[in-house]
């Protein structure tokens, strides 16, 4: 619930080479889903490598409020004793999802077809974000919602007493919306179908299959058609959470920015619906190698070895946007040090993330002396040999904006200060220590 707490300004100073091994935490998307599917299963789901960021801790607390037994046994080691599909109890209090759009949207889906009511809220960032994209399809199952204008949180959802299955074409490329519909479909009789024009992260589909649901995925002229048979008995499963490719992108991009750096980031998910940033970095000329490719817990993973490289700006293919949607902020920061212009198109969804990320990156880069151009759905960054820095950047309660500028500050001419780094704890609680161990000069104010 970082957005509820005091601001923590942080400063990154020009640093020497980054060296060493960066053990980034577990994947945030998979961590949320492991807790939610564990809660909807019969038996005990054992999870290893769970991300213990605030977003995921808020989802764990929510699952307890809906009646599941969620226990921490050691660092990253958790168990969930589930209540079964349709077994959620009505929570006594308000469900506070803090900063997490994924948490609130997936949980709303998971309860929407059970005959209970729940009220959801979040921090100042989450309470601004659109929820209609989820409550609209959930209404088709028979759920009712009462929120603030524009369907914003706080919002009360009344689950359908007699849910009907739904066929839904996603109007926006969003794995959160897709997942909310699939989770709602679990407790509807018959087949729920979701159609997505552009493939988005597929962790929900993979995990539902792993937990024993009947789910098929077909690529057709209409797009990707996902069909789920409702009312399965989900069986508890062990879940080994791979390391988060979105978190790994920060030390990887920092190493690309700071001359003479070389780091290894082991065990990072290379799921093809998530690895767009790494393809893009290689196209820009990065010396980035995926070593020891293997399969862990149903996900392809590899050890990433990256060395500082001179990069050139490219036009990022817009059809790649969904597979790197969370990595555009750090790519924009890196692009400031590439030769030529980096053009990022088809990224309108960035305007409804934890902050308006096109605007936040554009204003922050300008403050650091970098030339940018933006349109409603694009951002272009003009690279330069030296980024002046020497600015304070507004992060708008957005962890990825904070981390992106702290990375850039390591390679700028003058320090870069972010007004509030506290939201970093939502997704990457060990960021500061991990970066310092690699040699980054990052300090909190007054420490
Ligand atoms: C996520 C989906 C993406 C992503 C978010 C995590 C998920 O959001 O930005 O960080 O776990 O499903 P959208 O579904 O809004 O694109």
């Amino acid at each position: 619930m970082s957005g509820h707490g005091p601001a923590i300004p942080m400063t990154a100073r020009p640093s020497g080479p980054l060296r060493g091994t960066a053990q980034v935490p577990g994947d945030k998307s998979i961590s949320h889903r492991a807790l939610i599917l564990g809660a909807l299963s019969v038996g005990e789901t054992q999870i290893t490598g769970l991300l213990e960021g605030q977003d995921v801790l808020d989802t764990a607390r929510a699952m307890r409020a809906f009646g599941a037994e969620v226990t921490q046994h050691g660092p990253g080691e958790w168990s969930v004793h589930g209540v079964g599909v349709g077994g959620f109890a009505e929570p006594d209090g308000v469900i506070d999802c803090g900063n997490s759009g994924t948490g609130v949207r997936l949980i709303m889906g998971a309860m929407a077809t059970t005959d209970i009511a729940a009220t959801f809220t979040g921090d100042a960032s989450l309470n601004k974000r659109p929820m209609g994209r989820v409550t609209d399809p959930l209404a088709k199952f028979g759920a009712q919602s009462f929120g603030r204008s524009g369907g914003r949180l706080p919002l009360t959802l009344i689950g359908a007493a007699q849910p009907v299955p739904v066929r839904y074409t996603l109007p926006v490329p969003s794995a959160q919306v897709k997942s909310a519909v699939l989770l709602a479909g679990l407790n509807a009789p018959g087949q729920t179908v979701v159609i997505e024009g552009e493939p988005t992260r597929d962790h929900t589909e993979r995990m539902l299959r792993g937990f024993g649901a009947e789910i098929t995925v077909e690529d057709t002229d209409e797009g990707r058609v996902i069909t789920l048979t409702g009312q399965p008995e989900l069986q508890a499963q062990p879940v080994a959470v791979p390391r988060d490719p979105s978190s790994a992108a920060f030390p990887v991009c920092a190493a690309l920015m700071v001359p003479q750096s070389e780091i290894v980031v082991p065990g990072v998910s290379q799921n093809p619906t998530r690895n767009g940033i790494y393809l893009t970095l290689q196209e820009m000329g990065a010396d980035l190698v995926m070593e020891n490719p293997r399969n862990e817990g149903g996900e392809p993973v590899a050890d990433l070895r990256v060395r500082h490289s001179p990069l050139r700006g490219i036009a990022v293919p817009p059809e790649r946007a969904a597979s790197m949607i969370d990595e555009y902020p750090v790519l924009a920061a890196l692009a400031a040090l590439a030769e030529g212009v980096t053009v990022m198109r088809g990224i309108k969804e960035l305007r409804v993330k934890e902050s308006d990320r096109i605007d936040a990156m554009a204003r922050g880069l300008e403050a650091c002396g970098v030339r940018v151009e933006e349109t409603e759905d694009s951002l272009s960054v003009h690279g330069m040999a030296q980024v002046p820095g020497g600015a304070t950047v507004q992060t708008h309660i957005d962890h990825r904006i904070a981390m992106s500028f702290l990375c850039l500050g390591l390679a700028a001419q003058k320090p870069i200060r972010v007004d509030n780094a506290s939201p970093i704890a939502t997704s990457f609680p060990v960021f500061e220590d991990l970066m310092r161990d690699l040699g980054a000069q990052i300090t909190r104010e007054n420490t």
Side-chain angles (χ1 to χ4, degrees):
M1 294 191 291
S2 63
H4 298 305
I8 302 175
M10 228 178 248
T11 300
R13 294 190 164 71
S15 301
L18 303 181
R19 295 276 165 103
T21 300
Q23 307 277 5
V24 303
D27 187 78
K28 181 153 70 75
S29 295
I30 296 178
S31 294
H32 283 294
R33 287 159 173 81
L35 292 170
I36 295 170
L37 285 185
L40 291 171
S41 299
V42 175
E44 191 165 285
T45 289
Q46 313 267 4
I47 308 170
T48 53
L50 188 86
L51 166 65
E52 286 162 352
Q54 191 58 49
D55 279 8
V56 176
L57 298 178
D58 288 337
T59 289
R61 207 166 34 133
M63 291 303 97
R64 288 191 191 111
F66 283 101
E69 225 175 88
V70 184
T71 315
Q72 185 189 20
H73 301 281
E77 285 179 33
W78 291 63
S79 65
V80 184
H81 202 95
V83 292
V85 168
F88 271 1
E90 189 164 86
D92 293 334
V94 172
I95 304 295
D96 188 339
C97 289
N99 193 245
S100 181
T102 307
V104 75
R105 292 184 176 128
L106 268 57
I107 297 167
M108 286 200 282
M111 68 143 284
T113 46
T114 300
D115 189 10
I116 54 173
T119 301
F120 296 89
T121 193
D123 68 8
S125 155
L126 187 58
N127 287 359
K128 278 191 209 147
R129 297 178 67 185
M131 294 298 145
R133 54 176 55 199
V134 171
T135 52
D136 288 352
L138 297 183
K140 294 180 189 291
F141 287 97
Q144 287 175 279
S145 63
F146 305 91
R148 290 192 304 138
S149 61
R152 287 175 166 74
L153 303 178
L155 176 157
T156 295
L157 190 65
I158 301 177
Q162 294 190 325
V164 291
V166 156
R167 184 180 175 88
Y168 192 68
T169 302
L170 294 182
V172 284
S174 165
Q176 294 176 0
V177 178
K178 170 177 67 175
S179 302
V181 174
L182 290 172
L183 292 171
L186 279 175
N187 200 36
Q191 291 192 322
T192 286
V193 180
V194 186
I195 301 152
E196 54 178 3
E198 295 168 49
T200 64
R201 66 191 67 195
D202 62 357
H203 309 300
T204 304
E205 297 90 303
R206 284 176 188 248
M207 271 188 158
L208 278 170
R209 196 171 295 122
F211 277 75
E214 205 181 307
I215 181 164
T216 59
V217 181
E218 266 179 291
D219 285 314
T220 71
D221 294 345
E222 261 185 300
R224 193 165 271 193
V225 180
I226 304 151
T227 306
L228 171 76
T229 303
Q231 301 184 323
E233 185 171 292
L234 296 183
Q235 297 297 332
Q237 293 296 313
V239 181
V241 181
R243 295 178 194 272
D244 197 320
S246 299
S247 296
F250 292 102
V252 165
C253 288
L256 288 168
M257 293 180 203
V258 179
Q260 290 165 35
S261 296
E262 175 170 351
I263 66 164
V264 175
V265 193
V268 178
S269 167
Q270 290 299 296
N271 179 315
T273 61
R274 296 287 300 281
N275 69 354
I277 184 67
Y278 299 107
L279 301 178
T280 301
L281 295 176
Q282 284 171 330
E283 285 171 14
M284 292 172 79
D287 181 350
L288 167 66
V289 195
M290 280 69 183
E291 295 178 343
N292 306 317
R294 56 198 183 273
N295 225 291
E296 277 178 13
E299 292 268 329
V301 303
D303 306 329
L304 311 183
R305 179 180 295 276
V306 58
R307 296 183 185 87
H308 167 71
S309 323
L311 301 180
R312 51 184 178 273
I314 62 165
V316 182
E319 62 277 12
R320 193 179 287 165
S323 71
M324 53 179 286
I325 196 67
D326 291 336
E327 286 66 74
Y328 283 97
V330 73
L331 177 64
L334 179 66
L337 286 160
E339 191 189 332
V341 186
T342 298
V343 184
M344 296 164 269
R345 291 200 192 89
I347 57 173
K348 196 158 106 207
E349 276 294 297
L350 290 192
R351 295 213 180 264
V352 291
K353 296 293 178 189
E354 286 82 332
S355 68
D356 175 341
R357 286 181 172 163
I358 295 181
D359 186 66
M361 287 310 299
R363 299 294 82 76
L365 286 170
E366 279 172 350
C368 294
V370 181
R371 202 175 129 209
V372 300
E373 280 129 28
E374 69 175 292
T375 68
E376 183 54 23
D377 79 339
S378 77
L379 178 64
S380 298
V381 177
H382 293 253
M384 54 210 299
Q386 301 275 6
V387 167
T392 293
V393 169
Q394 308 295 316
T395 56
H396 304 281
I397 324 182
D398 189 330
H399 53 136
R400 298 198 204 281
I401 302 300
M403 289 187 279
S404 299
F405 281 102
L406 289 172
C407 289
L408 185 59
L410 306 176
Q413 286 175 302
K414 290 200 188 130
I416 295 178
R417 176 178 180 269
V418 298
D419 66 333
N420 185 10
S422 72
I424 293 173
T426 61
S427 70
F428 200 161
V430 297
F431 175 79
E432 217 182 316
D433 288 343
L434 179 148
M435 293 301 291
R436 273 200 214 117
D437 286 349
L438 295 175
Q441 295 209 38
I442 295 180
T443 49
R444 288 178 180 227
E445 215 138 279
N446 307 323
T447 56

